[in-house]
């Protein structure tokens, strides 16, 4: 049994593999009761729920990562986290643990309880049936099937509802889910490795390895939390990469009660002219490879599809791959929450120019590569200082001998 004498949870900090997304300003207020004298306790228990939610960092997609804590008379009587899409949500695990002690308990949950039949039954029904008298939700669900409707059901059943406790932390744990629900596209993270003088490869294209093994292991953690990895065909032709999560190389560990099978991210290749080799390594590996092209060459498309790829022709007016449409397809047809870009300067620059990059993660090595080496982003349209793209740096930390810089572009 869990009791109130458990060691205190340290204050919630920025998880070194979590992304930070904007604070939501559309929180549902009236007629939900305002947070009062119990605010400190509410933050304590919500912080615990968030730490539980983080256990689903690698396994809940396309669902959000959520956690739940049930408290009665100052005692934690049940807790749980959403583990795998299609399996019970966090509230159901917590209720199963609490059993009859859920009656008159307060439920702390990191996202508004669902109220519709999806892969699982509504959590609102389970909370009402269990006799919970108060629900504290960190943030309302951006899914239009749920948003504020779950809260309304709880209120109609006589349950007190509060929101807004650690809402920013709850959202930053699920930046892709919120982006997909609000804007119909994934949250896009651009990962780059560079020298101290801002170079990503030699003029010849040679780039292995700029950063240390510690940095490369850290990248595996970013891949593990991503729904898809995006690369250009130039990367495929140069390196024949796997673009997979290699569990034996993960530098981060999650404390789990049972092993979690890490699903391989969808591999997304932008290949304007369909020059992808049919014998590329990734086509024979577990997981799917999705190729976006501007070509309608049925012969090459058939060869690649026979090799295991999915080929989508999506040209824009310039007869190149339509990047905004690509993002929309990933969100709406493949339920992709987070995309990790591992691309060269041309594609990175094109995505940045269109305002499609939400986060830039740069691994900076303490080396100099010279002025002939290649840069981070190809941005030929920037010629004057008033055209520069400012960045908000949200995190800097050492990764072995390298430095990892996390920043958000500020689009004008």
């Amino acid at each position: 049994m869990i009791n109130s004498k458990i060691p205190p949870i340290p204050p919630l900090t920025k998880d070194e593999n979590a992304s930070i997304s904007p604070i939501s300003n559309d929180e549902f207020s009236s007629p939900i009761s305002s947070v009062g004298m119990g605010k400190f306790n509410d933050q304590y228990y919500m912080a615990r729920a968030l730490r539980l939610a983080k256990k689903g960092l690698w396994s809940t997609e396309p669902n959000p990562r959520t956690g739940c804590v049930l408290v009665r008379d100052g005692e934690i009587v049940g807790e749980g986290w959403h583990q795998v899409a299609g399996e019970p949500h966090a509230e159901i695990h917590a209720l199963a643990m609490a059993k009859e002690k859920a009656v008159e308990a307060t439920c702390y949950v990191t996202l508004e309880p669902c109220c519709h039949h999806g892969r699982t039954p509504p959590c609102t029904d389970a909370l009402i049936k269990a006799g919970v008298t108060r629900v504290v939700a960190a943030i309302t669900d951006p899914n239009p099937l749920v948003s504020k409707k779950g809260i309304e059901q709880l209120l109609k059943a006589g349950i007190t509802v509060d929101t807004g406790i650690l809402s920013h932390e709850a959202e930053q744990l699920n930046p892709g889910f919120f982006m997909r629900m609000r804007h119909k596209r994934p949250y896009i993270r651009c990962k780059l490795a560079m020298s101290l003088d801002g170079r990503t490869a030699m003029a010849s294209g040679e780039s292995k390895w700029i950063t240390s093994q510690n940095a490369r292991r850290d990248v595996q953690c970013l891949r593990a939390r991503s729904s898809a990895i995006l690369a250009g065909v130039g990367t495929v032709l140069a390196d024949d990469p796997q673009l997979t999560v290699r569990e034996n190389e993960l530098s981060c560990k999650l404390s789990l009660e049972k092993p979690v099978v890490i699903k391989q991210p969808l591999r997304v290749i932008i290949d304007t002219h369909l020059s992808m080799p049919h014998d590329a390594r990734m086509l024979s590996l577990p997981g799917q490879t999705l190729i976006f092209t501007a070509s309608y060459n049925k012969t090459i498309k058939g060869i690649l599809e026979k090799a295991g790829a999915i080929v989508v022709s999506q040209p824009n007016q310039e007869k190149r791959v339509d990047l905004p449409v690509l993002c929309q397809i990933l969100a709406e047809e493949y339920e992709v929450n987070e995309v990790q870009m591992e691309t060269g300067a041309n594609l990175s620059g094109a995505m940045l120019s269109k305002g499609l990059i939400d986060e830039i993660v740069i691994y900076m090595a303490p080396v100099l590569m010279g002025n002939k080496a290649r840069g981070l982003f190809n941005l030929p349209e920037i010629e004057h200082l008033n055209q520069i793209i400012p960045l908000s740096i949200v995190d800097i930390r050492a990764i072995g001998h390298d430095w990892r810089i996390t920043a958000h572009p500020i689009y004008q």
Side-chain angles (χ1 to χ4, degrees), residues 54-75:
K54 194 172 69 173
K55 291 173 180 260
L57 196 64
W58 300 340
S59 61
T60 65
E61 63 173 39
N63 290 355
R65 301 134 184 162
T66 57
C68 179
V69 174
L70 290 170
V71 179
R72 191 176 79 171
D73 298 327
E75 178 186 2

Side-chain angles (χ1 to χ4, degrees), residues 159-223:
I159 296 174
T160 301
V161 181
D162 294 310
T163 64
I165 301 296
L166 300 183
S167 60
H168 176 60
E169 288 80 358
E171 184 171 337
Q172 76 173 15
L173 191 59
N174 293 290
F177 180 76
F178 279 82
M179 182 67 75
R180 179 164 66 90
M181 290 298 162
R182 288 174 178 163
H183 304 291
K184 309 301 180 186
R185 73 166 179 85
Y187 184 90
I188 298 176
R189 179 184 300 110
C190 181
K191 186 277 298 180
L192 296 161
M194 75 173 192
S195 62
L196 192 60
D197 53 348
R199 305 296 174 171
T200 62
M202 303 307 294
S204 63
E206 180 186 359
S207 62
K208 289 187 175 180
W209 295 101
I210 297 172
T211 53
S212 66
Q213 186 178 20
N214 286 333
R216 297 196 294 275
R217 289 170 66 88
D218 194 68
V219 170
Q220 290 295 318
C221 298
L222 292 178
R223 284 185 177 184

Side-chain angles (χ1 to χ4, degrees), residues 149-351:
K149 299 181 181 69
I151 290 175
E152 289 171 0
Q153 284 192 10
L154 296 172
L155 290 170
K156 288 179 180 178
I159 296 174
T160 301
V161 181
D162 294 310
T163 64
I165 301 296
L166 300 183
S167 60
H168 176 60
E169 288 80 358
E171 184 171 337
Q172 76 173 15
L173 191 59
N174 293 290
F177 180 76
F178 279 82
M179 182 67 75
R180 179 164 66 90
M181 290 298 162
R182 288 174 178 163
H183 304 291
K184 309 301 180 186
R185 73 166 179 85
Y187 184 90
I188 298 176
R189 179 184 300 110
C190 181
K191 186 277 298 180
L192 296 161
M194 75 173 192
S195 62
L196 192 60
D197 53 348
R199 305 296 174 171
T200 62
M202 303 307 294
S204 63
E206 180 186 359
S207 62
K208 289 187 175 180
W209 295 101
I210 297 172
T211 53
S212 66
Q213 186 178 20
N214 286 333
R216 297 196 294 275
R217 289 170 66 88
D218 194 68
V219 170
Q220 290 295 318
C221 298
L222 292 178
R223 284 185 177 184
R225 66 170 294 162
S226 301
S227 310
I229 301 174
L230 174 66
V233 72
T235 299
V236 179
L237 294 172
D239 301 329
D240 194 18
Q242 299 180 58
L243 300 185
T244 56
V245 177
R246 296 183 284 278
E247 293 189 47
N248 62 321
E249 296 180 23
L250 288 170
S251 64
C252 46
K253 301 294 180 185
L254 299 178
S255 177
L256 305 175
E257 292 77 14
K258 67 177 184 179
V260 170
V261 177
I262 298 176
K263 182 181 178 181
Q264 289 297 337
L266 176 69
R267 296 180 287 270
V268 181
I269 306 299
I270 297 180
D271 182 3
T272 302
H273 305 295
L274 275 188
S275 51
M276 175 90 168
H278 69 276
D279 59 350
R281 275 197 302 173
M282 67 178 67
L283 296 179
S284 61
L285 296 174
Q288 287 185 316
T289 299
L290 179 60
I291 301 173
F292 281 88
T293 183
S295 171
Y296 286 100
N297 190 314
K298 293 182 179 180
T299 301
I300 300 178
K301 179 180 178 181
I303 292 172
L304 289 170
E305 288 179 337
K306 186 176 180 180
I310 300 170
V311 181
V312 178
S313 295
Q314 198 65 56
N316 60 15
Q317 292 181 344
E318 291 78 34
K319 295 184 179 180
R320 305 190 68 83
V321 173
D322 194 314
L323 298 177
V325 171
L326 176 152
C327 293
Q328 184 178 358
I329 290 173
L330 290 179
E332 295 184 352
E333 297 186 20
Y334 291 88
E335 294 185 299
V336 169
N337 286 336
E338 296 180 31
V339 172
Q340 175 146 318
M341 289 178 56
E342 301 192 13
T343 60
N346 288 336
L347 184 50
S348 297
M351 293 285 285

